[in-house]
């Protein structure tokens, strides 16, 4: 049984910060590429950030560079998404996902096997 659970979403004003957490059970996050994705109403799901098994970070979108950071705490089996300087356009449901076990590289959303239920982030102007 594998579970991926996100937490930390909420309502913040533009310019504020949030830290999202992704805690997994049934798998070790240090053995997987772990990604953050988001989907706004009426929009396609898009990748945000990924951290590979080896610790390489990949930005799926330039729009969050300089503002968002992904990190991993293996001792806590948790992946974080630190979001600073939030903008209204960051409003979305944020999902955490673990990629297939046999490769530790970041990849496309279709390559991620385990998904959380999402946590809502709303940024007011």
């Amino acid at each position: 049984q594998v579970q991926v659970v996100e937490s930390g979403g909420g309502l913040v004003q533009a310019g504020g910060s949030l830290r999202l957490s992704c805690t997994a059970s049934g798998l070790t996050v240090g053995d997987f590429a772990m990604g953050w994705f988001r989907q706004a109403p009426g929009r396609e799901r898009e990748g945000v950030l990924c951290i590979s098994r080896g610790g390489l970070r990949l930005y799926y979108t330039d729009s969050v560079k300089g503002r968002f950071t992904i990190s991993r705490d293996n001792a806590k089996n948790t992946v974080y998404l630190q979001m600073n300087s939030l903008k209204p356009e960051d409003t979305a449901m944020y999902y955490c996902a673990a990629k297939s076990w046999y490769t530790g590289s970041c990849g496309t959303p279709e390559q991620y096997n385990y998904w959380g239920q999402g946590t809502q982030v709303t940024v007011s102007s």
Side-chain angles (χ1 to χ4, degrees):
Q1 182 180 353
V2 174
Q3 283 190 296
V4 178
V5 180
E6 307 96 333
S7 62
L11 173 64
V12 298
Q13 296 186 58
S17 298
L18 281 175
R19 188 178 73 165
L20 307 184
S21 298
C22 173
T23 300
S25 61
L27 64 81
T28 300
V29 300
D31 292 337
F32 290 79
M34 302 292 298
W36 284 98
F37 303 83
R38 66 185 182 184
Q39 186 167 21
R43 297 276 192 171
E44 292 283 309
R45 182 179 60 188
E46 67 171 351
V48 181
L49 270 164
C50 173
I51 182 168
S52 74
R53 182 164 59 206
L56 179 67
R57 274 77 163 174
L58 172 69
Y59 285 90
Y60 286 105
T61 174
D62 288 342
S63 66
V64 305
K65 287 184 176 179
R67 300 189 298 121
F68 289 13
T69 304
I70 190 170
S71 62
R72 179 173 60 207
D73 187 335
N74 290 335
K76 297 181 179 179
N77 207 36
T78 299
V79 175
Y80 302 97
L81 183 66
Q82 179 67 48
M83 305 184 295
N84 299 325
S85 302
L86 282 162
K87 304 175 181 180
E89 50 262 46
D90 295 317
T91 295
M93 185 73 73
Y94 283 73
Y95 299 92
C96 177
K99 194 170 170 287
S100 56
W101 71 270
Y102 51 85
T103 176
S105 301
C106 295
T108 64
E110 291 74 22
Q111 294 176 310
Y112 288 78
N113 291 342
Y114 305 105
W115 292 79
Q117 292 299 117
T119 185
Q120 179 67 41
V121 172
T122 302
V123 184
S124 62
S125 60

